[in-house]
Amino acid sequence: MHRSDVRAQTASVRLAAQDEQLEMSRQYVFWSRLSAVLSRLESRPAFFFLLFSLAFGSGISIVVPPLRGPDEIAHFLRIYSYAQGALLPVTEINGRKGIFIESELHSQLSFFKNAGERFGQNRGQGLRYDDIMKEYPQPRGTVDQGEQATKFLPFAGTEGYSPVAYAPYILAAAIGNLLKLDFPNMLLLMRLLGVITFTAVAAYAIKLTPTLKWAFVLIAMLPVSIYNRSVLSADGAALAYALVVTALCFSAVRQHGRVWERSLWMTLGALSKQPQIVFVLLELMVCRITKLRRRWSSLALIVVPSFILSPVWVIAVSADIAVWRLSQVETYPREYFDPLWKLAYMWEHPLHFPLAAWTSVTVWGDRLWPELRHLGMAGCLASRLGLLRAHGPPSRRPVAKIEFGRD
């Protein structure tokens, strides 16, 4: 081998080694920066949740067409009535509680309700929402002769929800009325303010809890959780309040937190949705059963408001609690929905409920699988973040230089 060939081969090997070392250096810098970012995110779960919840929630609020959320038109009507100052549903026609709204708003609501149904039925045939929006009715200055100035729409079961569940939406509706916004813009304002408010409440719970912070993040970042915060719904408030109540009880176990604060948030949770009154049981984990006698006054202050205000509200509004659906859709006798009748039936047929629950899982399991898969992926991501933070980026190993000896 000639000396020139050996030198050329040596130079090429040196260049290859330098390139490999440079590539390793770049990878080390990349993984170091990624590890630093992930470490900061892992140490700040509340900030992580705020960032991604606001990003995804705002996007969903903007992208989802009006009234495409579950029962969104019914929620809007109840919120609109609160914004008008009607605390109790006093208007009733043919046994259905509701509200009289302006003719123009009624036409807009009818358009978007029908548009959503048309889109859901015909999108497989190529129908696009832009084509439907071309038929959007233009605002009218006056009411046509012979047309009613106001029209009645039923709440359809939402009369049972208190203002606690709709607080940010009511504020947004009041602002929209003040600015004379049309329905689409008012709805968007309500959605965005709801996302911001309930994201802030959930982030407060994540910041407050002394343990299981990332479990709180994963629960609040489930697709159904984000979606319920992004459209008009009482579920966004119910989840946010439940997270705060749980965080406060966790803090109370470590002798932190104030009694009035737990009382406030438990009451808000129970008023957002009546079944959430069960969260008062979390107060029992704050101390040992043997100590309950000594702290009965604080226990009463925490749980009694929920036990009083929640049933009082149901009685005050005489809520149908969606019985109207049963009377229109179901073919079962009305007494089947009586709680006492249900208890008697379960006593006589103890295996009926477990078999019904098993059938629900087997028949509707495909609907639950995406949620479980998302939760599993999020858990894997959290574990990978922990491993990366614990072990750091790949070590920077020196690359051995290969050189040929000289003649």
Side-chain angles (χ1 to χ4, degrees):
M1 182 178 292
H2 297 288
R3 182 184 298 273
S4 60
D5 295 335
V6 172
R7 289 179 177 176
Q9 190 172 5
T10 302
S12 63
V13 170
R14 286 178 177 175
L15 290 175
Q18 291 176 359
D19 291 341
E20 186 176 357
Q21 189 174 11
L22 180 61
E23 182 65 23
M24 288 290 295
S25 177
R26 290 175 178 174
Q27 291 182 7
Y28 180 83
V29 171
F30 169 77
W31 284 107
S32 298
R33 292 178 178 176
L34 180 61
S35 177
V37 171
L38 295 179
S39 298
R40 288 191 176 184
L41 287 177
E42 188 183 6
S43 61
R44 299 177 181 178
F47 175 77
F48 174 91
F49 170 74
L50 273 174
L51 182 65
F52 285 93
S53 179
L54 290 176
F56 287 111
S58 301
I60 293 173
S61 297
I62 296 171
V63 170
V64 174
L67 303 184
R68 289 296 289 164
D71 300 324
E72 196 167 24
I73 184 172
H75 290 296
F76 174 82
L77 291 172
R78 192 66 178 113
I79 295 164
Y80 193 76
S81 70
Y82 282 133
Q84 298 292 326
L87 182 62
L88 300 178
V90 295
T91 306
E92 184 174 341
I93 295 179
N94 297 327
R96 301 285 299 278
K97 296 180 177 63
I99 181 178
F100 282 99
I101 61 174
E102 299 82 2
S103 177
E104 185 172 331
L105 178 58
H106 181 274
S107 64
Q108 292 176 341
L109 292 175
S110 300
F111 170 80
F112 283 109
K113 182 177 182 296
N114 297 330
E117 295 175 355
R118 284 178 55 194
F119 180 73
Q121 295 172 359
N122 302 310
R123 61 180 177 179
Q125 286 73 35
L127 181 65
R128 294 294 176 262
Y129 219 86
D130 293 339
D131 301 329
I132 300 177
M133 286 302 298
K134 294 177 182 178
E135 305 172 13
Y136 182 67
Q138 297 299 323
R140 295 174 299 175
T142 59
V143 179
D144 296 337
Q145 188 175 4
E147 185 180 3
Q148 294 181 351
T150 59
K151 295 185 179 181
F152 177 81
L153 282 178
F155 289 134
T158 56
E159 63 269 22
Y161 292 118
S162 70
V164 168
Y166 295 136
Y169 307 132
I170 296 171
L171 176 60
I175 296 174
N177 287 331
L178 186 64
L179 299 178
K180 300 185 183 304
L181 299 179
D182 60 353
F183 168 70
N185 290 321
M186 180 185 293
L187 180 66
L188 179 60
L189 178 63
M190 294 163 71
R191 285 179 174 180
L192 292 176
L193 192 56
V195 169
I196 294 172
T197 302
F198 296 131
T199 293
V201 174
Y204 172 68
I206 296 168
K207 186 75 174 178
L208 190 64
T209 182
T211 183
L212 299 177
K213 290 182 180 291
W214 280 100
F216 277 54
V217 173
L218 296 180
I219 292 171
M221 286 299 293
L222 286 172
V224 66
S225 302
I226 301 176
Y227 189 79
N228 286 333
R229 286 194 299 271
S230 305
V231 297
L232 301 190
S233 174
D235 295 330
L239 176 62
Y241 298 154
L243 290 176
V244 175
V245 169
T246 307
L248 287 171
C249 289
F250 284 167
S251 299
V253 173
R254 299 189 177 186
Q255 307 301 320
H256 299 298
R258 295 172 289 271
V259 170
W260 69 264
E261 192 174 10
R262 297 204 300 279
S263 177
L264 171 64
W265 287 101
M266 272 192 187
T267 306
L268 293 177
L271 287 174
S272 64
K273 276 202 168 184
Q274 278 71 33
Q276 293 209 158
I277 197 171
V278 72
F279 279 97
V280 300
L281 297 177
L282 288 176
E283 188 62 23
L284 298 179
M285 76 176 188
V286 171
C287 66
R288 298 179 181 274
I289 300 297
T290 55
K291 297 182 180 179
L292 288 178
R293 288 185 178 181
R294 287 182 290 177
R295 57 182 301 271
W296 66 268
S297 58
S298 60
L299 180 64
L301 179 61
I302 292 171
V303 304
V304 167
S306 298
F307 280 118
I308 294 178
L309 295 179
S310 181
V312 164
W313 174 258
V314 175
I315 296 172
V317 299
S318 301
D320 291 340
I321 311 298
V323 170
W324 62 275
R325 295 180 179 177
L326 304 177
S327 62
Q328 289 185 350
V329 179
E330 302 291 348
T331 58
Y332 301 106
R334 186 64 61 88
E335 62 268 15
Y336 282 15
F337 302 96
D338 186 344
L340 296 179
W341 185 93
K342 289 184 178 182
L343 291 175
Y345 185 84
M346 291 175 64
W347 178 262
E348 295 177 3
H349 306 83
L351 296 179
H352 179 80
F353 179 76
L355 291 176
W358 173 251
T359 303
S360 298
V361 173
T362 54
V363 173
W364 300 94
D366 58 332
R367 307 279 183 93
L368 302 174
W369 171 244
E371 298 293 332
L372 295 175
R373 182 175 59 183
H374 173 84
L375 185 61
M377 293 174 61
C380 292
L381 177 61
S383 63
R384 288 178 180 272
L385 293 179
L387 289 174
L388 183 59
R389 186 185 180 190
H391 299 288
S395 58
R396 186 178 181 180
R397 300 181 181 88
V399 181
K401 295 182 179 181
I402 304 176
E403 298 185 9
F404 288 92
R406 298 180 180 179
D407 291 342

